[in-house]
Amino acid sequence: MARNPISLLMVLLGLGLCSLYSVAQEEPAIDLRDVQRRLRDVRSYLRQEVLNRTSSPLSPHGLVAEVGKDPELLRAWVEQNIAFEPYLGAVRGVEGTLAAGAGNDWDRALLLGTLCGAAGQRFRYLPVERSEAEIDAIMAALGTVPEELHTPDETPFEVDEVLARFGVDAASQRAELLAARANRQRVLDEAFDAAALELPALEAALQASTEPRHDFEAWQQHLRAALGTRVLVRLEAAPEAPLALGPDEALPDAERLAATKAVLYPPPGQRSELRIRVVLTATGADAPEQPTVLLERSFKPEELISDPLRLEVVPTRGRVTGAPQEWSPDEFYHTIAGFETFRVVLRHGNRQYKSRLEFDKAGRSFVFKSGPAAAQLGGGLGGMNLGGALTGDEQGATPQDIQLEALTLELEWKLPGQELVRRERLIYGRLRQDVSPVFVTDILVAPGPIREEVAAWLKLEAVEGIAGLYDRLANAHKDPMRYVNNAAVVKMMPELLHDWQRLRRGLLADYLSGQPELGLLSGPLILQKCKWAVPHAEERTIGRRDVLDVVYDGTLCYPRTAEATEAAFRANLFLGIGSTVLESLLVRDTAPWMGTVRGAHARFEAARAAGHSATLAAPEGLAGLPALSAWGIARNETGRAQVFPQAEGAGDWWSVDLRTGSTIGRGSGGEGQSMTEYIDIHQWQLQTITCFKGFVMANLAPGTVSEGSDPVQDWILCTLGFSATTPTSTYANLDGGQAAGRWAGMFSIVWSLIGVAQQYQEFE
């Protein structure tokens, strides 16, 4: 049997539903009632045994139920299961520390305090300054080269009993598991080899730099700063014996304990905060003097692990002629390209925040107005306006001398003891007019690494939710209103972004297995997957551009000994190149049919083949630099060097921190350059039928849409393949009330579940 009940039940759901697929293949006449009954049985078992408060890997209450309420037992659990990592301040929080399986003094203490609170204890934190001798002792341990590196247990757990229960052949499933592992290793090998080939060229280009690199003393100071304060947990029931965690071997002396003020929370300077902002900048005599902030929100990073962010720029005004399923490619092009006004929506789990203002392509902004839909059903939806402002009201006198300069996404991360991390991305504007403002990005904010068990749990939760959606909609032909507004019941999970993080951890493990003199500082990460609607005027079609973008990556290798200082710099160069290659490989392997995948590494390969050498940019910049690349460098590259594939006219670069060697591939507006562009207008027209159905239902049946839902925005996003209702890249085909359509959608979820089960087996 499985060693982990969560793993067992992952297989139960994923493989159990697979049996439904095989039955359907053999029996053309589908008994939907039987399918629903069996699906509900599996989901009921899953919710009771797995997706509950006590068994979640991120649940403090679940840990207390498992470990017990004794504070000493809880302290011992944290000591044994949550590794110590040196960094400043409270960055990961409770969920982030559980997700990483590691934390620093503050984060481990926050977890221990929360566990004690869940066990019914009242407590405070005691932040005690370490002595130089105590810091020296920890530094000595960090500098010790381990005799052998820990490697994950690759022994697969036994699932024969579960497989037999649902009629699935165990041998076939094991073959699938081995194939998945082999594919993962192939991707890692490809990224590893590409980085090894690129590294000498990058090193040669950096020889022209005169900027000082981190010497061993600089690394030592960096680590010592992170060790200045240890944090104890003082229980109200036993104030004389505070709970202490390692790496210290003893409690502070009584004098320091007595002089330390107990606190309920980390001080403001020791907390982490992420701020997201969308800003509209216009030029001209009638433009506002200052940029207009359309939307702004702040979050604790730990809030974004279970509930990731999705930012959408959606149209609010437009005109549809005829039924969408009857559109020609030319009509589809003119409709989507013709949208003029837009609004920003930020989704955080089941919560959503909408901009009070909308804006148009001219750069004007005005207060958003909503109105009733005036449906005219003559050969479709002729004459019906689209968007929140369905009445088509005029906005009054409009300035003439105003132009939209830039619509930008700004991300700011306040990290304790560090300069503010600030990154900007150009969504639309004067320098990016080849796309529509219609835009969606899923944002993964990870204050630390996310263990594979946690990522698989989050995926299971999302897929289970959408499986429930299919259960509810299996009889949509009897009650079409069930189609409307189902986004709220589905949890998003940016699967591709978690896959990148997972593979990057594999790349780190492969590299560091041969470099025991190097240590690893697992830093915070911002990763996003962006999608633009791209009008193609010549072909009169609408395409989509996808970009996988590593916005910020704080993970670093450090030297354990002075002799390893140069090796640490090279390791960070190598891992940055490999991580960039992983972006391209993931996009390519996820959907090889989509089109051409481009990346910084590919541009450097092509330049070398053409006889060019990598070039370090001078302080004044590079000749012939594209305007959009110059925009990205000016806003995102402060304190970093840029290495280009050739001396003139290049738009892609390696962004390098010359102190540490931290590297990432960049291009265009500064985003990750692993992108693909493709045209799938005919597929979208098929999707339009499904999306159109939901739109009609919402507007023909007043009162069927719950508060906060905008069926028009949902329809546009669904039509463009930006559907907010799907937790992964799988789309639900619920068109027309036909059994085949419902089953096609359900089977797409079954295959997602099988993938979850394979992933769980792999790390177990």
Side-chain angles (χ1 to χ4, degrees):
M1 283 298 296
R3 291 178 285 111
N4 187 324
I6 298 176
S7 308
L8 175 65
L9 291 165
M10 278 288 243
V11 178
L12 186 153
L13 180 62
L15 304 184
L17 287 178
C18 181
S19 67
L20 301 183
Y21 175 80
S22 62
V23 170
Q25 292 289 69
E26 297 169 3
E27 303 175 8
I30 300 170
D31 185 347
L32 285 178
R33 289 176 298 179
D34 181 61
V35 171
Q36 286 181 291
R37 178 186 59 78
R38 298 171 70 183
L39 180 60
R40 288 169 183 168
D41 287 345
V42 174
R43 292 186 61 237
S44 175
Y45 187 26
L46 180 76
R47 287 195 302 270
Q48 292 177 22
E49 300 294 335
V50 181
L51 296 177
N52 56 58
R53 193 178 186 188
T54 60
S55 58
S56 165
L58 300 178
S59 170
H61 292 276
L63 280 173
V64 172
E66 176 185 346
V67 176
K69 294 186 176 183
D70 186 336
E72 181 54 36
L73 290 177
L74 295 172
R75 187 207 65 79
W77 187 93
V78 174
E79 186 74 69
Q80 295 167 13
N81 293 276
I82 305 297
F84 175 78
E85 289 186 1
Y87 55 88
L88 279 167
V91 175
R92 298 176 183 174
V94 174
E95 277 205 6
T97 304
L98 287 171
N104 70 348
D105 291 283
W106 259 116
D107 282 330
R108 293 169 88 217
L110 287 172
L111 173 58
L112 178 55
T114 301
L115 292 175
C116 290
Q121 299 284 340
R122 296 171 65 88
F123 64 92
R124 295 288 189 275
Y125 298 107
L126 290 174
V128 182
E129 296 301 312
R130 284 192 174 98
S131 67
E132 289 298 314
E134 289 170 334
I135 294 176
D136 289 341
I138 301 173
M139 289 294 296
L142 292 174
T144 302
V145 177
E147 294 182 4
E148 60 178 291
L149 294 175
H150 172 73
T151 56
D153 179 11
E154 292 292 340
T155 304
F157 62 85
E158 298 297 325
V159 295
D160 293 353
E161 182 177 325
V162 176
L163 298 176
R165 175 176 178 173
F166 287 92
V168 179
D169 179 58
S172 299
Q173 186 57 28
R174 291 181 185 280
E176 290 287 341
L177 171 61
L178 292 174
R181 285 182 174 174
N183 183 64
R184 178 191 181 191
Q185 192 58 51
R186 176 190 60 78
V187 171
L188 288 175
D189 290 344
E190 192 170 344
F192 199 99
D193 292 345
L197 290 173
E198 184 67 34
L199 180 61
L202 179 56
E203 287 187 300
L206 291 175
Q207 288 179 357
S209 171
T210 59
E211 292 292 324
R213 299 180 182 179
H214 264 8
D215 57 17
F216 186 64
E217 181 60 30
W219 282 110
Q220 293 286 92
Q221 291 176 3
H222 177 84
L223 292 171
R224 292 183 74 91
L227 298 173
T229 303
R230 67 180 299 192
V231 185
L232 290 74
V233 178
R234 187 177 72 185
L235 303 179
E236 188 176 283
E240 71 288 348
L243 301 177
L245 298 165
D248 304 84
E249 295 183 357
L251 281 171
D253 56 76
E255 183 179 350
R256 276 188 294 162
L257 284 176
T260 301
K261 180 181 178 181
V263 297
L264 269 174
Y265 309 102
Q270 296 295 309
R271 302 177 198 170
S272 177
E273 180 184 72
L274 181 86
R275 184 176 295 272
I276 184 168
R277 184 185 300 118
V278 179
V279 178
L280 178 71
T281 304
T283 59
D286 294 312
E289 294 185 3
Q290 299 295 326
T292 301
V293 177
L294 299 176
L295 185 144
E296 184 173 17
R297 299 294 300 185
S298 296
F299 301 93
K300 297 177 181 177
E302 69 168 307
E303 299 174 337
L304 306 177
I305 298 173
S306 296
D307 294 317
L309 295 173
R310 166 171 281 193
L311 182 78
E312 304 166 354
V313 180
V314 296
T316 58
R317 293 172 182 273
R319 188 169 295 276
V320 173
T321 302
Q325 64 266 37
E326 298 174 357
W327 286 351
S328 67
D330 189 70
E331 289 171 324
F332 189 95
Y333 166 79
H334 281 293
T335 300
I336 303 302
F339 290 123
E340 291 293 332
T341 60
F342 307 88
R343 192 182 188 189
V344 180
V345 179
L346 179 65
R347 301 181 188 271
H348 174 219
N350 287 330
R351 296 172 292 279
Q352 59 179 326
Y353 310 97
K354 298 183 178 182
S355 60
R356 186 179 62 88
L357 301 176
E358 58 181 323
F359 68 95
D360 62 17
K361 288 182 178 178
R364 298 170 294 193
S365 59
F366 29 81
V367 176
F368 178 82
K369 293 183 179 180
S370 61
Q376 299 178 10
L377 287 181
L381 286 183
M384 179 177 286
N385 291 316
L386 277 176
L390 292 171
T391 56
D393 294 339
E394 295 297 326
Q395 297 296 333
T398 55
Q400 297 300 311
D401 187 10
I402 185 171
Q403 299 84 38
L404 193 155
E405 175 66 20
L407 178 68
T408 56
L409 167 62
E410 299 179 0
L411 293 160
E412 293 181 349
W413 200 335
K414 176 185 174 184
L415 292 166
Q418 298 185 32
E419 294 181 1
L420 181 70
V421 174
R422 190 173 191 275
R423 299 290 184 266
E424 293 185 41
R425 295 296 185 261
L426 183 62
I427 299 174
Y428 180 77
R430 179 175 57 84
L431 298 179
R432 177 164 269 166
Q433 295 186 349
D434 61 328
V435 299
S436 163
V438 177
F439 171 82
V440 170
T441 182
D442 289 305
I443 307 173
L444 174 63
V445 178
I450 298 176
R451 292 180 293 123
E452 294 180 17
E453 178 185 5
V454 175
W457 170 279
L458 295 173
K459 183 175 179 180
L460 174 63
E461 192 176 34
V463 173
E464 192 274 341
I466 201 170
L469 171 64
Y470 277 100
D471 182 18
R472 291 177 55 194
L473 299 180
N475 289 316
H477 63 291
K478 296 180 180 178
D479 184 6
M481 289 300 99
R482 293 188 182 185
Y483 181 85
V484 179
N485 193 36
N486 282 286
V489 303
V490 177
K491 188 174 180 115
M492 292 186 297
M493 194 276 190
E495 180 182 2
L496 189 68
L497 305 184
H498 279 279
D499 284 346
W500 180 89
Q501 193 237 195
R502 176 174 178 249
L503 285 168
R504 201 278 299 271
R505 292 186 70 189
L507 190 68
L508 281 164
D510 285 354
Y511 187 86
L512 292 178
S513 65
Q515 305 277 346
E517 70 278 8
L518 299 180
L520 181 65
L521 301 174
S522 298
L525 170 74
I526 304 176
L527 182 66
Q528 64 176 352
K529 172 72 181 298
C530 309
K531 303 173 187 177
W532 280 269
V534 183
H536 296 276
E538 294 183 2
E539 298 91 349
R540 286 294 190 269
T541 57
I542 299 291
R544 200 175 86 195
R545 175 180 299 167
D546 287 24
V547 174
L548 189 58
D549 178 14
V550 181
V551 180
Y552 175 74
D553 184 7
T555 294
L556 287 172
C557 294
Y558 72 90
R560 297 183 188 273
T561 64
E563 293 75 19
T565 303
E566 192 61 30
F569 188 87
R570 295 186 80 248
N572 290 322
L573 293 178
F574 179 94
L575 293 170
I577 298 169
S579 297
T580 301
V581 174
L582 281 177
E583 295 177 60
S584 298
L585 297 180
L586 266 179
V587 174
R588 182 198 69 189
D589 286 4
T590 300
W593 51 269
M594 291 200 307
T596 302
V597 178
R598 306 197 305 271
H601 175 255
R603 299 295 175 89
F604 276 82
E605 282 188 315
R608 267 199 310 277
H612 300 288
S613 298
T615 301
L616 178 67
E620 61 272 14
L622 196 72
L625 189 65
L628 188 55
S629 297
W631 183 95
I633 290 173
R635 287 160 177 79
N636 300 295
E637 294 289 305
T638 301
R640 299 179 69 91
Q642 297 84 49
V643 176
F644 292 89
Q646 58 196 64
E648 186 173 345
D652 303 80
W653 66 92
W654 295 118
S655 173
V656 183
D657 183 336
L658 291 174
R659 300 166 300 173
T660 64
S662 173
T663 299
I664 198 67
R666 295 291 184 209
S668 191
E671 64 262 7
Q673 192 61 81
S674 297
M675 65 170 59
T676 179
E677 292 185 46
Y678 58 98
I679 303 172
D680 56 351
I681 176 66
H682 300 296
Q683 178 183 343
W684 283 355
Q685 282 186 296
L686 292 176
Q687 284 187 352
T688 297
I689 303 172
T690 298
C691 305
F692 176 69
K693 176 182 175 182
F695 176 73
V696 172
M697 293 302 174
N699 286 281
L700 293 185
T704 60
V705 182
S706 65
E707 182 67 25
S709 174
D710 189 329
V712 178
Q713 293 179 3
D714 292 343
W715 177 76
I716 293 300
L717 294 175
C718 180
T719 301
L720 294 174
F722 297 165
S723 174
T725 65
T726 53
T728 65
S729 58
T730 309
Y731 289 106
N733 181 1
L734 302 174
D735 168 50
Q738 301 295 321
R742 291 192 298 276
W743 271 92
M746 186 171 289
F747 293 150
S748 69
I749 300 304
V750 169
W751 294 123
S752 295
L753 290 164
I754 291 173
V756 177
Q758 290 175 346
Q759 180 176 335
Y760 234 131
Q761 290 184 77
E762 184 166 345
F763 78 80
E764 271 299 308

